[in-house]
Amino acid sequence: MPVLHHVAVKELDPPATQGPFLCMRLRLGPDRPPGLKQRIQADHTFLMAGLGCLRAEFPLPSLGLVSYLWAIHTPTRPRRTHMLVAAACADIRKQDATGASLPRRGLHRTFARAMLRTAVGKVHQDLRI
C-alpha cells in the first residue's frame, strides 16, 4: 500500500475513464500496523473532470453522513495555479440537506468545515513537494 500524508491507500477498482472523466475508488486509512484494532478506513470515490476539477466523496456510515470535497485548479501563469476548494455534507440516505433537522444541519456544517480544513492542510503539505 502506498502511503501519502500518513494515510495508507488501497485501490479498490482500477481507474475507469469515460470521455474527459476519470473515476477511482480507493480505501484510505491511517498508516498503522494491521494488528491494531482501532484501524479507521473508508472507501472513497474520486471523480476527475479534465485536468483541473476533482470531486471526492467521503462516506461516514457511523454518523450516517457523506461529505463531498471539490478542488478546482486553474493555471494563471507559469508555475502559478489558483485553487478553489469547497466542501459540503449531507445524510447518506438523503443526498439533499434541505430537509434535515436543525441539529443535523449543524452536524453537516461542522463535518464539512472539518473536511475543508483537513483538505487545505494537506494541500499546504503538498506545496513543499
Side-chain angles (χ1 to χ4, degrees):
M1 277 190 180
V3 176
L4 177 65
H5 299 297
H6 304 288
V7 175
V9 179
K10 179 182 179 187
E11 184 179 278
L12 297 175
D13 296 322
T17 61
Q18 184 177 8
F21 300 105
L22 172 70
C23 186
M24 296 182 297
R25 285 191 55 239
L26 304 173
R27 177 167 292 151
L28 306 177
D31 182 29
R32 297 179 181 164
L36 285 180
K37 292 182 181 178
Q38 296 177 337
R39 187 175 176 91
I40 299 169
Q41 60 186 10
D43 299 350
H44 304 306
T45 302
F46 296 86
L47 176 67
M48 290 184 232
L51 296 174
C53 185
L54 168 71
R55 186 196 82 172
E57 185 177 314
F58 303 97
L60 191 61
S62 62
L63 292 178
L65 297 175
V66 60
S67 182
Y68 300 95
L69 183 70
W70 293 269
I72 302 168
H73 309 78
T74 305
T76 55
R77 58 183 187 230
R79 300 177 50 88
R80 296 284 180 195
T81 299
H82 181 254
M83 184 175 180
L84 173 67
V85 181
C89 187
D91 288 328
I92 285 179
R93 292 186 229 344
K94 293 192 268 177
Q95 304 289 315
D96 180 6
T98 58
S101 67
L102 191 57
R104 281 305 273 185
R105 285 189 301 218
L107 179 62
H108 294 170
R109 278 193 299 276
T110 301
F111 191 67
R113 285 184 183 131
M115 290 296 298
L116 187 59
R117 275 193 305 273
T118 299
V120 169
K122 300 298 182 191
V123 168
H124 282 282
Q125 290 175 356
D126 291 342
L127 291 176
R128 287 185 234 132
I129 298 171

